[in-house]
Every structure is written in C-alpha cells, then in structure tokens.
Amino acid sequence: MFKSVQIGRSALIAAICAATAAAVILAVSAQALGAVKKQGGSTEARERFAAEYGWYLGGEMLSENTVILGGESDTISEGYSRLLAAQHMDIGGYIGRPVNMCMYEVLNFMSEAGAVMTLFEYNGHIIAAHISTSDGCIYGLDGQKMQL
C-alpha cells in the first residue's frame, strides 16, 4: 500500500529551504496587500482611519488632487519611506501611478502651528498618510517627527 522512499539529506534540506522561501514570499506578499486594505474614498472613511490613530479631522476637506508619486532617491524621500515603513505602509508599488491626495485639518494635534493630515489613496484605499505642520515639520500617524 505505502512505498518507502529514501530521500538524501541534501534533497531534504533543499526541499525545506524551498518551502521556507515560498512561505516567506507569501507572507511578504500578504503583508504588502494588507497595507492597502485601509478603506478610503470618502470623508467618513478617512475620519475612521484617522480615529484609529487617535486623530480627529476637521470634517471638511481642505484639498484634493491627483498626483503622480515620484521615486526620487534623496534625503527627504528616504526619510519619508522610513516614516511610512514604521507605520507599516509602503508606497513603493505605487511609484509612477496616479493617486488621490486628500488633506484635512487635524483638530487635536499637539502643535500650535496648526496641523494637516495628508492621505494618499489608490483605487479607494489609503496607501499612505502623514501629518504636517505649518512650520514645515512632518510627523507619522503616531505623532513622531520625521527624522532626516
């Protein structure tokens, strides 16, 4: 009924390595897809998103534009990429694509300079967001200032 099969040690190690590599690729792909599952597309959805991080938006959108995400490799882009990575967001797959950029006033930010949340959406899903103040500082959704 069952046949006994002998597998050499190297073949067994190779099979385990291949299975591990496949699992890592699937996990990374699932994580990347998971970062895109934040629903956007409406003021109410964006308010819910902001509230998940403890922020309250002003309700009325300040600005909405379609922008093409660039891929410049400079200090600011690298700093912003680190900021997004800390928030489990990655815009790498959206470079060169048109995305929707929405801006709302943040009512409860700790700066007296005034704060705005900028959200980037692709196909109705939030792919990135940050908070900026009128004095030119950029913050993550956790309130931490971006380090260049």
Side-chain angles (χ1 to χ4, degrees):
M1 204 185 269
F2 293 102
K3 265 185 155 176
S4 176
V5 177
Q6 294 223 340
I7 298 176
R9 185 173 185 187
S10 346
L12 181 59
I13 290 172
I16 291 171
C17 288
T20 302
V24 168
I25 289 169
L26 288 173
V28 168
S29 298
Q31 182 180 10
L33 290 173
V36 178
K37 295 210 184 238
K38 299 285 185 179
Q39 187 64 42
S42 70
T43 293
E44 294 78 21
R46 295 174 194 125
E47 287 175 336
R48 280 192 304 274
F49 172 81
E52 288 178 22
Y53 294 91
W55 305 115
Y56 299 103
L57 302 182
E60 187 175 319
M61 189 182 322
L62 300 175
S63 172
E64 181 174 24
N65 296 297
T66 299
V67 298
I68 305 292
L69 294 179
E72 301 87 30
S73 179
D74 58 21
T75 305
I76 293 173
S77 294
E78 290 171 15
Y80 191 65
S81 292
R82 284 193 305 273
L83 179 84
L84 291 178
Q87 300 175 158
H88 306 289
M89 296 179 179
D90 180 15
I91 59 170
Y94 303 97
I95 300 299
R97 295 180 186 216
V99 299
N100 189 41
M101 181 180 75
C102 306
M103 300 173 88
Y104 292 86
E105 179 183 11
V106 180
L107 301 176
N108 62 329
F109 196 71
M110 62 237 166
S111 170
E112 292 182 23
V116 171
M117 181 177 287
T118 302
L119 301 106
F120 296 94
E121 298 176 336
Y122 184 78
N123 287 340
H125 293 91
I126 298 168
I127 59 169
H130 69 270
I131 297 170
S132 55
T133 55
S134 59
D135 59 2
C137 295
I138 297 176
Y139 297 83
L141 298 177
D142 60 359
Q144 296 298 311
K145 188 174 178 181
M146 182 176 85
Q147 301 297 319
L148 297 178

